[in-house]
Amino acid sequence: MLKQTEGSKAVAEAIALCRPEVICAYPISPQTHIVEALGEMVKSGELTPCEFINVESEFAAMSVAIGSSAAGARSYTATASQGLLFMVEAVYNASGLGLPIVMTVANRAIGAPINIWNDHSDSLSQRDSGWMQLFAETNQEAVDLHIQAFRLAEELSMPIMVCMDGFILTHAFERVDIPSQEQVDAYLPPFDPRQVLDPKEPMSIGAMVGPEAFMEVKYLAHAKQMQALELIPQLSAEFKQTFGRDSGGLVRTYRAEDAETMIVAMGSVLGTIKDVVDDMREQGHKIGVLGIVSYRPFPLKEVRAALVNCKRFLVLEKSLAVGMGGIVATDVRMAVTGTGLKGYTAIAGLGGRTISKASLQNLFLQAEQEHLEPVTFVDLDWDAVNKQLERERLNRRSGPIAENILHDKGMLSAAKFG
Amino acid sequence: MSFQPVKFYQTGTFTVGNRLLAPDERSEQANPQRSNSINSGHRACQGCGEALGARYAIDAAMAESNGQLIAVNATGCLEVFSTPYPESSWQLPWIHSLFGNAPAVATGVAAAMKVKGRKEVRVVAQGGDGSTTDIGFGCLSGMFERNDDVLYICYDNQAYMNTGVQRSSATPPAARTATTMPVGPEPGNVFGQGKNLPEIAMAHGISYVATATVADLRDLEYKVRRAMGIRGARYIHLFVPCPLGWGTASHDTIRMARLAKESGMFPVFEAEHGEVTGVLKIRHKVAIEEYLKPQKRFAHLFGKHAHPEMVERLQAIADRNIRKYGLLDEGSN
Ligand SMILES: Cc1ncc(C[n+]2csc(CCOP(=O)(O)OP(=O)(O)O)c2C)c(N)n1
Ligand code: SF4
Ligand SMILES: [Mg+2]
């Protein structure tokens, strides 16, 4: 059913349609609206049978989900940013144990400095945690990916994060098609666990494992993700059959046929990028887009196939590998190894910094002319940065960085007004 | 009151043979059909109080739940010695996740059982004192506060044993551990404020809290069975001497537990909804020295460079327990 609704509300409805049996909730922006809506559905009896547990931390949220999943219940939670970091030990544990938990990550920056706005640093920090990660471009896709996520997680017995941009998607009102219960039931069978805690068949889960078997266990986690590379396109095709729309898959291209310059990105920024590409296409530029839906597993083959015919590519990412450059860009470069393609990295939108069409167009034109540095920081305020660097050169006790920058910026605007 | 006064003492040692008891009063360990939840072949040290306590506690819980029990274990000695891959001593469904999350994992298991309508399946969570009083404290408090249907058993051996005997917040003052060495003017662990977990559990108002020691295994069994008869969050704090960590003889585990109780150092009681409802009285009161002296972790308090003032402070702690919990009968020694 088509309706005008908030992204979080739409996702909550999609989760409810997936018949979760245990939901663990802990508040952190911008994820809160999702679990709030689910809590209301459970309390009112609309979503039943389901246990909604208000836990005391994200570490507990993931731990409760570990227990409920190991006991055979379809388990869900949602988090972001500091919350994801707070649960990290349990995040790795869930994948190590092979528990198919589904978690929404409402992507948000990581502090310090504390910042509630969107970028991809949080889930990307869990790149190697053994969780799959799918990135939604729109709220419709967020809804659809959650439904596919339960299928994927449970078929492989591995956990998965569905990542959606905090605020930009979670708090945006737009038209979303919410499927019917019959459709979801037809697509998603009940959870049939591979391992379950049950007195009928006692087993030990989580035993101590030494060097004799540890590598095999870890390799199998990798093998599962390699299987996911096959399964994700199948599930997406099947989804289209049941629900009548394209959603998910490993990657998606846009106006890429004869593109000489390709822009690679993940999440909602793809919308802005496509707008800019449309404008540039009209002006005759041969430019296209590659959107990565599946960040883990990373579809090396598909990324390579999508880029191999262009002349250069630019990875625009909302994350920063401090001391190195791009996080996504590293993987993309790995995908095109040996092609000799020119690759650029652009770091943009950290901590919710606006990514404007004008800035993108400017960036893409420079990429097209191959005038870019290997790593570009889009719309970075160099004055503020240099001022702080100068302060540090002059003064040993230069003070807290973020506060200095804010102070400088305040002075600047005061100067403008004064 | 948990202690069953049995009148026909055979030996004057307060022990009584199972044969003299009615079948329903006998230890679960006397039942040839017992579940043997933690089977032979595990790798605990000789005389490990934790292994003994777990055996009695989990077999009693299995008996009370008709074998419908799932156990969640925190990281620690009990977990490590019971499940070296590919062997497991556990004869019941058992999961180990992390050091600090056993109460939350147990909440999840209980939620799954509830949602699936399997009311008969019960959940027990267990961990060491480090796991319980320190790193898993937040999760434990959350589980209590929500009154989740979990029995949590803390095996208190008063230090982080699995990592080589470091101090936890359950380590007693003056005790030597690898991180509280017997050096300097106040050797051993500091005299802090303490962290009385049974009382903290009681402050949550949960329906049942009890302490026990491996010196009174029948009392332990009784308390586990009692706890299993109740729904919601329950807590048992079990005192389990550790020969390796304490520097005691492996044949002295039960004696050490008895001396801890008889000196007043470890009060044995049960409480309902935050109120103490029964205590195990001290039978033969002993001075604190008698408890401290056999333990190498307190050796620096005695001998050439003795610290009688520290022994006195420990005695004061025991005396306070005796007063507070009424551990001595009027007029007894
Ligand atoms: C997060 C984390 N920190 C530290 C450890 C290391 N560690 C494992 S067991 C243990 C000690 C356990 O002490 P306790 O809970 O008292 O149980 P015991 O071994 O004494 O029975 C420690 C510190 C760990 N496994 N995980
Ligand atoms: S170190 Fe202590 S607690 Fe650990 S197995 Fe040995 S005796 Fe038991
Ligand atoms: Mg311990």
Side-chain angles (χ1 to χ4, degrees), chain B residues 148-170:
Chain B
D148 296 329
D149 192 14
V150 173
L151 167 61
Y152 188 96
I153 302 174
C154 167
Y155 297 91
D156 180 7
N157 53 23
Q158 303 196 319
Y160 291 103
M161 294 311 176
N162 186 56
T163 34
V165 199
Q166 295 84 12
R167 173 202 192 268
S168 80
S169 55

Side-chain angles (χ1 to χ4, degrees), chain B residues 200-224:
Chain B
I200 294 170
M202 284 163 63
H204 287 78
I206 59 175
S207 52
Y208 188 71
V209 173
T211 66
T213 80
V214 287
D216 292 279
L217 290 162
R218 303 298 311 285
D219 176 63
L220 169 63
E221 286 183 322
Y222 154 80
K223 283 169 175 166
V224 170

Side-chain angles (χ1 to χ4, degrees), chain A residues 42-56:
Chain A
V42 174
K43 192 137 180 112
S44 70
E46 191 185 324
L47 172 53
T48 183
C50 181
E51 286 291 303
F52 183 85
I53 303 174
N54 281 297
V55 289
E56 73 284 352

Side-chain angles (χ1 to χ4, degrees), chain A residues 20-22 49-51 53-57 59-74 89-91 93-94 97 99 191 196-210 212-213, chain B residues 67-72 79-80 83-101 103-109 111-116 118 121 135 138-143 145-146 148:
Chain A
E21 294 170 292
V22 176
C50 181
E51 286 291 303
I53 303 174
N54 281 297
V55 289
E56 73 284 352
S57 73
F59 177 65
M62 185 48 59
S63 301
V64 169
I66 286 168
S68 56
S69 183
R74 183 171 285 164
E89 196 193 8
V91 167
N93 193 252
L97 293 173
L99 298 172
F191 177 29
V196 67
L197 294 166
D198 190 340
K200 285 184 197 136
E201 201 189 330
M203 64 176 73
S204 298
I205 299 177
M208 181 122 199
V209 172
E212 66 282 8
Chain B
Q68 300 297 302
L69 189 67
I70 296 174
V72 177
E79 168 261 331
V80 170
T83 59
Y85 181 88
E87 297 149 21
S88 172
S89 284
W90 298 99
Q91 307 298 304
L92 77 168
W94 178 95
I95 185 170
H96 160 251
S97 172
L98 295 169
F99 189 23
N101 71 356
V105 174
T107 290
V109 175
M113 291 304 125
K114 188 170 173 206
V115 81
K116 289 178 181 299
R118 297 189 62 184
V121 182
I135 201 165
C139 284
L140 185 67
S141 175
M143 188 274 276
E145 178 275 324
R146 290 184 302 267
D148 296 329

Side-chain angles (χ1 to χ4, degrees), chain A residues 169-354:
Chain A
L169 291 181
T170 54
H171 288 55
F173 278 75
E174 53 186 18
R175 245 155 59 111
V176 179
D177 190 356
I178 307 283
S180 69
Q181 187 68 63
E182 294 70 40
Q183 282 175 310
V184 177
D185 286 347
Y187 183 78
L188 178 65
F191 177 29
D192 181 11
R194 280 195 179 271
Q195 52 181 349
V196 67
L197 294 166
D198 190 340
K200 285 184 197 136
E201 201 189 330
M203 64 176 73
S204 298
I205 299 177
M208 181 122 199
V209 172
E212 66 282 8
F214 190 83
M215 267 190 80
E216 285 71 21
V217 176
K218 288 291 156 186
Y219 174 76
L220 282 164
H222 177 67
K224 291 267 177 79
Q225 290 219 359
M226 295 302 101
Q227 288 173 18
L229 288 174
E230 309 285 317
L231 198 51
I232 290 168
Q234 286 171 29
L235 291 180
S236 166
E238 222 181 287
F239 187 88
K240 188 171 184 181
Q241 275 174 9
T242 313
F243 300 86
R245 60 177 170 268
D246 270 318
S247 246
L250 295 167
V251 299
R252 246 191 326 266
T253 54
Y254 181 76
R255 306 192 80 162
E257 313 75 46
D258 58 341
E260 292 177 355
T261 305
M262 285 289 283
I263 311 300
V264 187
M266 304 196 299
S268 64
V269 73
L270 282 163
T272 321
I273 292 173
K274 286 177 187 172
D275 278 357
V276 175
V277 164
D278 283 344
D279 294 349
M280 289 176 71
R281 277 280 179 182
E282 246 167 60
Q283 294 154 18
H285 297 272
K286 290 189 165 180
I287 185 163
V289 186
L290 170 65
I292 296 172
V293 183
S294 172
Y295 172 62
R296 279 295 176 276
F298 193 79
L300 287 170
K301 209 170 72 193
E302 288 72 13
V303 168
R304 186 184 179 92
L307 296 181
V308 75
N309 292 320
C310 73
K311 292 192 169 139
R312 64 198 75 84
F313 64 90
L314 167 76
V315 180
L316 183 99
E317 60 176 287
K318 293 180 173 184
S319 45
L320 170 63
V322 179
M324 211 276 275
I327 300 175
V328 184
T330 307
D331 292 357
V332 174
R333 280 172 207 236
M334 169 88 178
V336 299
T337 306
T339 58
L341 275 174
K342 253 200 146 59
Y344 301 100
T345 305
I347 311 295
L350 298 186
R353 173 72 49 96
T354 303

Side-chain angles (χ1 to χ4, degrees), chain B residues 43-51 77 81 157 161-162 241-245:
Chain B
R43 291 152 193 211
C45 309
Q46 203 175 25
C48 173
E50 199 163 275
C77 268
F81 72 60
N157 53 23
M161 294 311 176
N162 186 56
C242 161
L244 183 127

